[in-house]
Amino acid sequence: MVPLLPNPVLALPELILAGTGMLLLMVGAFRRTDATRLCVWLALLALVAALVVLAAVTPPRSVTFHGQFVADHFALFMKVLVLLGSGLTLVMSLDYIEREGMARFEYPALIVFATLGMLMMVSANDLISLYIGLELQSLSLYVVAAFKRDEVRSTEAGLKYFVLGALSSGMLLYGASLVYGFAGSTNFDILARVLGQIGAAGPSVGLIVGIVFVMAGLAFKVSAVPFHMWTPDVYEGAPTPVTAFFSLAPKIAAIALFTRAMAGPFAPMVGQWQQIVVFVSLASMILGALAAINQTNIKRLMAYSSIGHVGYALVGLAAGTQSGVRGVMIYMATYLPMNLGTFACILAMRRDGKMVESIADLAGLGRSQPKVAWAFAIFMFSMVGLPPLAGFFGKLFVFLPAIEAGLYGLAVVGMLASVVGAYYYIRIVKIMFMDEPARPFDQPDAQVAGVMALSAVVTLLFFAACWPIFAGAAAAAKALQIG
Amino acid sequence: MQLATWIASGDLELGWALKFDQLSAVMVFVVTWVSAVVHVYSVGYMSHDPHKPRFMAYLSLFTFSMLMLVTADNLVQMFFGWEGVGLCSYLLIGFWYHKPSANDAAIKAFLVNRIGDFGFALGIFGTFLLFQTVSFAEIFAAVPGKADARLHFLNFDTHALTALCLLLFIGAMGKSAQLGLHTWLPDAMEGPTPVSALIHAATMVTAGVFMVCRLSPMFEYAPAALAVVTVVGAATALFAATVGLVQNDIKRVIAYSTCSQLGYMFFAAGVSAYGAAIFHLFTHAFFKALLFLGAGSVIHAMSDEQDMRRMGGIWNKVPYTYAVMWIGSLALAGIPFFAGYYSKDMILESAFGAHSGVGLFAYALGTFAAFLTAFYSWRLLLMTFHGQPRADHHTMEHVHESPWVMLIPLFVLAAGALFAGAIGYNWLVGEARGDFWGKSILVLPQHDSIEAAHHVPTWVKLLPLAMALSGIALAYVMYVLRPEWPAQLATRFRGLYLFLLNKWYFDELYWNVLAEPAMRLGRVLWKGGDGAIIDGLGPDGLAATTQALSRRTSLLQTGYVYHYAFAMLIGVVLLVSWYLLTRAG
């Protein structure tokens, strides 16, 4: 019996963000003086409030809004990561946007709307609500990417992202319609039940094509190979705090969405989609490792790095087991602090008031600003996956399930790719500590330094406090249907 | 005294231990005294060196390793100390690492010692194989039962104890610079002089002698091995003494003298006069460290000049150094009532008293070597301190006596060189020796050559003294009364002179037979095997491939949106068709 009225309490965090977003627009429009700073703080307040409420209201599993919206532990885990990512990148961007002439109140509002979209994605329990959340997020991101509208690179990035994003949305929609046509429903619960009853004859071709298209759309959002090509250009072109934002919250949300879709409604067809995830994951790891070597721009390098990381995270999904899903979640939990910290370091790369982005500019940082350099080194070593830093646990928990599932080739190639990747991560450390110093950078902003320190501590001491995270991830993985 | 368990693996169990018996007590006495004296001396000698902390750290590490070696209660701990002193020796020889010759000497010492250590390690393995233990106490208890055991290896069937003792003796030869593996010791003089005194005269090089004595219960049951020890020791004693005759570097003369004296110790051990060997080790530590430190004092005075041909006529400028060098040389030559007299004569008498072929051989060679020893010692004294000054004016002006911090150690050692023999005689080789050594040294009754030494004819006792005196006299004639003789002799017997000057061509032999082919093989493997094949296919090849791939993947990133969209669509098409194909198949 479906209840007549939805239960809005379950969606309270989303409602808070929606209300705040609209409020910000009002405040910004009606205040005569510059309202950016106020809006940023309001947005932060809303994100914190959403975080608190989220922890308070989320039940083990409950579906509402006529089956469109699900609140469960998986959603809780991922939403916490998303909200942390959004909030901390917003904090870091505060001084930047004022200095770089992007101080407009729309910026925090767009971030809030994008975050709202992401929360919707994580909680989607229907192909329709999935699409709504995705589009809300994407539309906000297109605008944010082009936020420095008088700079060619930024607008080009926004435009490219928009055109390709529209294409991927089209694919996703087309796939969704095929799935609906061949399975008879868009609701995840019903899909799972219907697909679970498919007999020995196997699913029909149309259904499979539909799933492939849906996956292509999702793969675009997580920037997995071969749907990754927008990533380097957009990362490089967008303003740095926006790039930081792109690499965190949307990526976490998209991975969550990917995982929920694959391990939820399509869980019965794991045999069908596994090979695609394996392929995408392999291709992402290899390309992420190889293409990054030649980069001279640190943001472009981070784009390839994030492609590689998505590949690693998908290794867990490719395993197609509950422990694999747990691995994906732990991976994203470790990815958050180290990537956040890296971008804090990149934001600290400012010389004479101007941002610099070349890797060579880091030369000798170990002598001119040892604290920043050490933090940077911690993040790089964590990205390599060196124990006992956070990144090691992420890799451990995705590769173990893959090996348990018999995907030895994937695990071996993943390891090799991470060796290649180690080259360009450690090269940065080498440049910082062993090359002749370039002129020193300006002192980093207080917020940036704070985020950097926080991330460094979390990355460094992750092993000391990781058991609650592992337990939470295990509980969250149980919320999905996959066996 | 067991301190801690070190290794427990299967049958192999051994611990860190401090084993103190009379044998190790003598060694600990020598090591700590000489080490302390050398430490003090170094304060003065190294006062101008910028790397004093490093030097002192190495010295202390060396002393620790040496004490570990002499107090070991099992072969493996002994090996640990053995390698530890080898390492310190390497580090200290190459202490002045900016000098290529010092680096070469350090590497040479290390490599030659490796050969010996290889033998030692094999000996330890073999011992474990035979006795199932590496603990001295258990081995010694089991030796009589294994006296006739055979060892099968490949197709060889050998007397087990002989084979083991020979392997262990190879280790001792390497460390104690015996004939064949001696080439590193003269070169080791590249190190600072206090190092030469401590490591390459008094302590480390005597570790081989100590090892043979420590393992006396094993060697006693391997008479063939003992014979080899005797012959090698005697040959070394003579060989080194002949080379010492013509060297011109003051430290090298003393180095060859050390080598020669070690030969004495070995043939003493070889004729089962272990007590005499340790006695000579004990006295030698004092007078040889004294000679080295005295030489260091001379070098210090002569502004780092080491060539005796550019010294001379300085005896009144460095009176204390001159005096202690005299004392050291008198002790070395075995002039009565100096330390060396007691120990060296005891060795020669034991060799004679052993009444065996090799014993007589050793006696003959040793006595002749005593003549040579006296000769080169006085050659050194006379060339260094007397005659016309041959140094340039500038150096001569700077000749000065060393500071007290260097002189006091010399006096301490001089006291040792004067009295150590008289004091130690009774306990170490005299009437009280049986009570003193107790169970720490085993001599089978039929081998008791020290006892026999007390009953040899008088002429046997007097002959070495006569030889020594005549050596001194000859040196006086040749370098004071007829200074033109040495040059004439050198031209007349040019072949012999060059033969000796070039140290019997051992270095050249090893270079041509071993080192150069090894280098050539190494070069082939390095350039061809490692460089071209392993590096080419391995690290370098992989890296190059990775970079090439990286460039290509970067080329994919054109920046055109339609390329990107095309890639995406191709991706979807590929995935769908792959899906359908695999499902159909």
Side-chain angles (χ1 to χ4, degrees):
Chain A
M1 177 65 198
V2 181
L4 205 60
L5 283 174
N7 176 8
V9 175
L10 294 178
L12 206 50
E14 285 81 355
L15 292 176
I16 290 174
L17 290 187
T20 311
M22 287 184 270
L23 178 74
L24 290 182
L25 293 179
M26 293 296 139
V27 170
F30 286 106
R31 259 180 76 117
R32 306 238 166 258
T33 52
D34 177 42
T36 314
R37 201 160 261 274
L38 175 69
C39 286
V40 168
W41 288 116
L42 277 177
L44 278 173
L45 195 64
L47 290 170
V48 172
L51 197 61
V52 172
V53 172
L54 177 71
V57 302
T58 308
R61 178 177 162 85
S62 187
V63 179
T64 186
F65 291 102
H66 296 283
Q68 299 275 332
F69 185 93
V70 64
D72 56 11
H73 276 150
F74 178 77
L76 172 66
F77 191 95
M78 288 311 210
K79 281 179 184 174
V80 169
L81 294 184
V82 167
L83 286 171
L84 283 176
S86 293
L88 290 171
T89 41
L90 192 57
V91 169
M92 285 201 299
S93 56
L94 190 57
D95 284 339
Y96 180 91
I97 55 174
E98 288 184 343
R99 204 168 39 234
E100 300 283 318
M102 337 178 347
R104 285 187 293 276
F105 68 89
E106 289 93 341
Y107 180 76
L110 283 168
I111 297 275
V112 168
F113 280 124
T115 311
L116 171 62
M118 293 175 221
L119 297 193
M120 282 297 298
M121 287 157 66
V122 176
S123 267
N125 199 38
D126 192 293
L127 289 172
I128 302 289
S129 51
L130 178 155
Y131 183 71
I132 299 281
L134 199 57
E135 280 307 286
L136 178 57
Q137 177 232 24
S138 301
L139 281 170
S140 313
L141 293 186
Y142 302 148
V143 182
V144 182
F147 206 77
K148 242 180 181 173
R149 61 190 173 199
D150 43 4
E151 192 184 288
V152 177
R153 283 203 308 172
S154 179
T155 46
E156 181 192 329
L159 191 64
K160 271 183 186 167
Y161 191 26
F162 175 62
V163 171
L164 296 172
L167 182 65
S168 82
S169 291
M171 289 191 201
L172 184 77
L173 269 185
Y174 181 60
S177 69
L178 280 174
V179 170
Y180 176 61
F182 282 89
S185 174
T186 55
N187 185 283
F188 284 180
D189 295 336
I190 300 172
L191 275 174
R193 207 163 53 240
V194 170
L195 298 180
Q197 285 160 357
I198 291 172
S204 60
V205 174
L207 186 59
I208 290 174
V209 173
I211 292 177
V212 173
F213 270 88
V214 170
M215 289 174 80
L218 293 174
F220 175 85
K221 296 296 174 197
V222 299
S223 68
V225 178
F227 310 101
H228 66 282
M229 309 208 40
W230 59 277
T231 322
D233 293 4
V234 173
Y235 272 42
E236 188 184 356
T240 310
V242 175
T243 311
F245 181 60
F246 273 25
S247 75
L248 286 166
K251 194 139 280 184
I252 294 169
I255 286 277
L257 182 61
F258 207 150
T259 309
R260 183 183 285 287
M262 290 302 119
F266 302 128
M269 300 173 65
V270 62
Q272 321 292 325
W273 55 254
Q274 194 178 34
Q275 63 180 24
I276 294 187
V277 178
V278 168
F279 168 77
V280 165
S281 160
L282 271 182
S284 304
M285 288 188 292
I286 294 171
L287 186 119
L290 289 182
I293 289 177
N294 257 1
Q295 303 308 323
T296 53
N297 181 297
I298 184 86
K299 281 160 77 181
R300 249 185 127 74
L301 182 125
M302 287 308 293
Y304 285 109
S305 156
S306 84
I307 292 172
H309 281 298
V310 163
Y312 294 121
L314 290 180
V315 169
L317 186 58
T321 57
Q322 215 170 65
S323 61
V325 171
R326 183 180 68 138
V328 176
M329 284 189 282
I330 294 173
Y331 199 91
M332 296 326 282
T334 60
Y335 174 75
L336 175 69
M338 61 191 187
N339 220 43
L340 186 68
T342 309
F343 273 101
C345 294
I346 296 174
L347 276 170
M349 293 170 61
R350 192 158 45 82
R351 188 175 287 149
D352 306 333
K354 280 210 178 101
M355 299 299 294
V356 290
E357 298 178 353
S358 158
I359 294 174
D361 287 319
L362 286 167
L365 193 63
R367 264 172 283 177
S368 55
Q369 281 181 337
K371 283 182 197 159
V372 177
W374 277 105
F376 212 150
I378 288 173
F379 303 132
M380 289 300 112
F381 281 119
S382 174
M383 296 234 179
V384 172
L386 213 68
L389 301 174
F392 165 72
F393 293 97
K395 286 209 169 69
L396 178 70
F397 280 95
V398 294
F399 281 120
L400 271 185
I403 288 171
E404 280 164 12
L407 300 171
Y408 299 114
L410 183 64
V412 169
V413 174
M415 289 296 169
L416 292 179
S418 75
V419 171
V420 176
Y423 166 73
Y424 60 81
Y425 291 130
I426 295 177
R427 185 167 69 111
I428 293 180
V429 177
K430 178 240 162 199
I431 288 173
M432 285 194 298
F433 285 95
M434 300 184 186
D435 285 9
E436 279 306 304
R439 281 185 304 127
F441 294 141
D442 303 349
Q443 280 302 311
D445 305 327
Q447 295 94 331
V448 169
V451 171
M452 195 191 303
L454 180 72
S455 312
V457 169
V458 172
T459 309
L460 199 59
L461 299 179
F462 184 82
F463 67 92
C466 55
W467 294 113
I469 296 174
F470 296 165
K478 282 209 186 77
L480 300 180
Q481 274 95 339
I482 200 158
Chain B
M1 194 193 328
Q2 190 81 8
L3 294 181
T5 304
W6 183 16
I7 297 175
S9 159
D11 288 343
L12 181 64
E13 281 187 26
L14 53 102
W16 291 109
L18 295 178
K19 177 190 171 88
F20 281 103
D21 57 9
Q22 290 79 358
L23 183 57
S24 43
V26 172
M27 289 302 288
V28 168
F29 180 83
V30 170
V31 171
T32 47
W33 262 104
V34 178
S35 175
V37 165
V38 167
H39 271 78
V40 174
Y41 181 88
S42 303
V43 173
Y45 191 80
M46 302 298 282
S47 58
H48 303 304
D49 199 281
H51 299 294
K52 264 177 294 192
R54 186 159 62 91
F55 184 77
M56 288 299 174
Y58 288 164
L59 273 192
S60 301
L61 180 64
F62 170 81
T63 310
F64 161 78
S65 305
M66 194 67 206
L67 289 174
M68 274 289 125
L69 196 166
V70 298
T71 59
D73 84 332
N74 60 62
L75 281 168
V76 178
Q77 188 187 333
M78 192 186 218
F79 191 66
F80 168 83
W82 194 268
E83 292 299 302
V85 293
L87 170 71
C88 295
S89 159
Y90 165 77
L91 291 173
L92 284 166
I93 294 170
F95 181 75
W96 287 316
Y97 52 82
H98 44 80
K99 270 170 45 183
S101 60
N103 280 334
D104 290 349
I107 290 170
K108 186 170 177 186
F110 203 70
L111 284 180
V112 175
N113 269 300
R114 288 271 74 62
I115 298 171
D117 295 348
F118 186 62
F120 190 13
L122 282 180
I124 294 176
F125 302 153
T127 308
F128 184 67
L129 183 73
L130 191 64
F131 295 101
Q132 305 302 318
T133 176
V134 290
S135 150
F136 289 142
E138 292 170 41
I139 294 173
F140 298 161
V143 165
K146 301 268 187 188
D148 297 318
R150 313 290 294 176
L151 193 66
H152 297 275
F153 179 72
L154 298 180
N155 276 333
F156 296 102
D157 178 61
T158 52
H159 183 231
L161 277 173
T162 306
L164 292 183
C165 287
L166 284 177
L167 284 173
L168 294 169
F169 179 60
I170 290 175
M173 279 173 68
K175 188 95 350 189
S176 295
Q178 291 303 289
L179 191 62
L181 296 179
H182 66 280
T183 53
W184 65 272
L185 186 59
D187 288 10
M189 297 304 131
E190 291 291 345
T193 307
V195 172
S196 310
L198 176 61
I199 300 186
H200 305 121
T203 53
M204 184 188 86
V205 289
T206 60
V209 180
F210 166 75
M211 189 244 266
V212 172
C213 293
R214 166 62 81 204
L215 298 177
S216 58
M218 281 174 82
F219 278 88
E220 277 298 288
Y221 287 92
L226 281 179
V228 172
V229 173
T230 313
V231 172
V232 169
T236 308
L238 182 69
F239 153 77
T242 58
V243 177
L245 294 178
V246 296
Q247 297 303 310
N248 292 317
D249 182 316
I250 182 167
K251 283 178 74 182
R252 278 184 187 248
V253 174
I254 308 179
Y256 275 106
S257 152
T258 305
C259 201
S260 164
Q261 298 302 310
L262 289 166
Y264 276 98
M265 296 178 210
F266 270 108
F267 77 68
V271 296
S272 295
Y274 305 103
I278 294 292
F279 185 35
H280 194 52
L281 190 162
F282 177 68
T283 56
H284 172 254
F286 287 103
F287 64 71
K288 191 51 64 69
L290 175 64
L291 283 173
F292 264 118
L293 294 186
S297 182
V298 170
I299 294 167
H300 200 70
M302 300 293 294
S303 313
D304 293 333
E305 179 58 64
Q306 298 197 9
D307 193 329
M308 292 191 295
R309 284 170 298 187
R310 286 197 282 274
M311 295 182 182
I314 59 168
W315 66 274
N316 50 0
K317 295 194 178 179
V318 285
Y320 298 116
T321 308
Y322 179 58
V324 296
M325 287 297 274
W326 259 93
I327 295 173
S329 298
L330 287 168
L332 172 62
I335 303 303
F337 314 117
F338 288 90
Y341 164 72
Y342 294 96
S343 54
K344 190 191 265 183
D345 279 17
M346 177 51 66
I347 287 176
L348 291 170
E349 289 157 22
S350 304
F352 185 84
H355 293 302
S356 59
V358 289
L360 284 176
F361 172 74
Y363 177 76
L365 263 55
T367 309
F368 185 52
F371 166 71
L372 299 176
T373 305
F375 177 78
Y376 66 64
S377 296
W378 263 264
R379 173 175 177 263
L380 185 151
L381 275 179
L382 297 171
M383 277 182 85
T384 306
F385 293 102
H386 294 276
Q388 292 300 315
R390 293 180 295 275
D392 58 50
H393 184 66
H394 183 71
T395 312
M396 284 308 290
E397 272 186 352
H398 279 84
V399 173
H400 58 279
E401 185 58 279
S402 299
W404 285 105
V405 72
M406 286 165 70
L407 287 178
I408 288 175
L410 289 176
F411 296 154
V412 172
L413 289 172
L418 280 171
F419 305 118
I423 294 170
Y425 182 80
N426 192 33
W427 288 344
L428 294 171
V429 291
E431 297 299 322
R433 69 182 187 284
D435 297 333
F436 179 78
W437 291 116
K439 287 187 176 144
S440 61
I441 285 180
L442 177 88
V443 182
L444 294 181
Q446 64 270 33
H447 289 174
D448 194 353
S449 51
I450 295 185
E451 183 59 36
H454 291 294
H455 309 292
V456 292
T458 316
W459 67 266
V460 172
K461 296 192 181 201
L462 289 179
L463 185 59
L465 179 60
M467 296 299 270
L469 290 174
S470 52
I472 295 172
L474 182 61
Y476 187 73
V477 169
M478 282 181 65
Y479 288 92
V480 177
L481 301 181
R482 296 275 186 275
E484 69 280 2
W485 277 16
Q488 288 172 356
L489 273 175
T491 35
R492 182 157 312 162
F493 301 103
R494 182 159 185 77
L496 183 67
Y497 175 72
L498 284 179
F499 183 65
L500 294 180
L501 189 65
N502 289 307
K503 309 150 225 167
W504 292 29
Y505 293 104
F506 262 103
D507 280 338
E508 286 71 13
L509 185 73
Y510 285 170
W511 174 253
N512 288 326
V513 175
L514 296 173
E516 212 185 36
M519 292 255 289
R520 238 180 271 137
L521 181 67
R523 205 176 296 278
V524 167
L525 290 179
W526 165 44
K527 295 275 191 201
D530 197 52
I533 298 174
I534 296 178
D535 278 358
L537 297 181
D540 289 354
L542 275 181
T545 315
T546 312
Q547 290 220 324
L549 283 175
S550 168
R551 265 192 298 280
R552 284 195 201 160
T553 41
S554 302
L555 286 181
L556 288 178
Q557 204 72 29
T558 52
Y560 295 116
V561 173
Y562 60 91
H563 283 168
Y564 296 178
F566 184 67
M568 284 168 66
L569 288 175
I570 290 285
V572 173
V573 169
L574 278 180
L575 286 180
V576 169
S577 25
W578 180 30
Y579 217 153
L580 294 177
L581 285 175
T582 51
R583 243 177 53 82

